[in-house]
Amino acid sequence: MGGLLVIGDTVTDVVAVHHAPVAPGTDTAADIVVRPGGSGANTAAWAAHLGADARILTRVGYDTGPWHVAELCGAGVRPHVQVDPGHPTAVVIAMVDAAGERSMLTNRGAGGHIGPGDWDDDLLDGVAHLHVSGYTLFAEPGLALFRTAVGAALGRGLRISVDPASTGPLTGFGVERFLSETRAASLIFPNRDEALLLTGERDPERAASALSARYGTAVVKLGPDGALLAVDGRVVRRAPAAAARAVDSTGAGDAFAAGFLTALLDGHAAESALEAGCLAGARAVAGLGGRPGGTGGIRAPAGPGVAEPLCSP
């Protein structure tokens, strides 16, 4: 199995699960935990958990950077991390309701400053697949990094996939611009809303078909309705969601992508990879936070600009 390199965000997730509607202007009881997260880091952690040789290129902040590096190492990921001395790590406050659905408040922090200066072509040594979180593209330094990494990956004949990330920043970035910038990818992982936004369609099957005509392969994540696989302009498979009691949907799409990509790298056909993605997504929603298993509190970080040693070989 060749390696998987993920380029994407690492985030401190503050997850608040509330069983009653949020009451404006007063307190609402909630179970609150702090977890390592981020779309890119979650995908890499799930891929490593599922047996892939997973690596990540990411940028963390001076405040919690060493903790995040340790968490990635503990998850089995090979991290390539820049600790930003001038910005804190990205933070997402995820408010999760009784149905497991989440609303998010986001500060991109150091993640918004990852750029081509963080890149080295040697990052692709031993890699068979490059996967990029769409959040990387939504700031100019990250877009420049994306172009550099894609050019290097194409030069080595690697397959490239992209996750559109989220409808809000995707709209701000521009749909046509996103489609143009990611045209070198041969695989895209939108959820239902992202697929409809990217195509202007009202039906996810038509959206999947349209995206696969552009990229080659499109996998549309439908949450509790499973997922669609479309190839070369045609839906070829619909997989039901695996049974799970939804606790928190944070990271479910990231786990899905990891399951799909790990199966592909292991030599499985795309149809089998779709089932693997659904299973990984179901495992993710059954727990709290976006990573496999659970973690404790944040340890005291090193001082500003101090890089944490990466995982031992």
Side-chain angles (χ1 to χ4, degrees):
M1 180 191 292
L4 171 67
L5 175 63
V6 178
I7 300 177
D9 47 323
T10 297
V11 174
T12 300
D13 280 341
V14 181
V15 183
V17 180
H18 55 97
H19 301 287
V22 174
T26 187
D27 294 351
T28 300
D31 296 318
I32 301 174
V33 296
V34 176
R35 294 284 188 266
S39 179
N42 291 343
T43 298
W46 276 103
H49 180 73
L50 295 169
D53 172 11
R55 306 107 179 267
I56 187 170
L57 175 63
T58 191
R59 194 172 186 90
V60 296
Y62 59 80
D63 52 350
T64 56
W67 173 64
H68 280 291
V69 171
E71 291 295 329
L72 288 166
C73 290
V77 178
R78 297 168 62 180
H80 303 279
V81 179
Q82 294 293 332
V83 178
D84 191 318
H87 299 90
T89 303
V91 176
V92 170
I93 299 175
M95 297 174 290
V96 184
D97 64 20
E101 193 54 55
R102 61 197 169 113
S103 301
M104 295 175 289
L105 301 172
T106 303
N107 181 346
R108 290 210 62 201
H113 297 272
I114 192 169
D118 298 318
W119 179 258
D120 189 312
D121 285 354
D122 290 346
L123 291 168
L124 295 176
D125 290 350
V127 169
H129 190 108
L130 172 66
H131 177 73
V132 184
S133 166
Y135 287 110
T136 305
L137 284 70
F138 299 151
E140 288 301 322
L143 179 58
L145 167 62
F146 175 77
R147 293 168 177 166
T148 299
V150 165
L154 290 175
R156 297 195 184 199
L158 305 185
R159 192 173 188 184
I160 301 165
S161 59
V162 63
D163 188 322
S166 181
T167 55
L170 185 58
T171 300
F173 184 79
V175 167
E176 291 302 322
R177 185 184 182 197
F178 180 86
L179 293 171
S180 175
E181 290 288 355
T182 60
R183 62 188 179 276
S186 60
L187 172 59
I188 187 168
F189 287 102
N191 63 23
R192 183 199 308 264
D193 292 343
E194 293 155 5
L196 299 182
L197 175 63
L198 287 169
T199 61
E201 298 286 355
R202 295 185 177 183
D203 175 75
E205 293 201 4
R206 292 177 64 89
S209 297
L211 288 171
S212 71
R214 177 182 290 269
Y215 290 97
T217 302
V219 179
V220 178
K221 300 167 288 186
L222 302 176
D225 294 324
L228 296 170
L229 170 66
V231 178
D232 295 333
R234 184 172 64 91
V235 173
V236 297
R237 186 71 173 266
R238 182 168 190 145
R245 176 180 175 273
V247 173
D248 175 15
S249 63
T250 303
D254 308 325
F256 180 100
F260 189 97
L261 292 173
T262 300
L264 278 189
L265 287 168
D266 204 27
H268 292 274
E271 290 81 1
S272 297
L274 191 70
E275 306 282 349
C278 287
L279 181 59
R283 292 173 65 181
V285 301
L288 197 59
R291 303 272 183 93
T295 60
I298 298 177
R299 294 193 301 273
V306 179
E308 183 84 354
L310 300 189
C311 314
S312 300

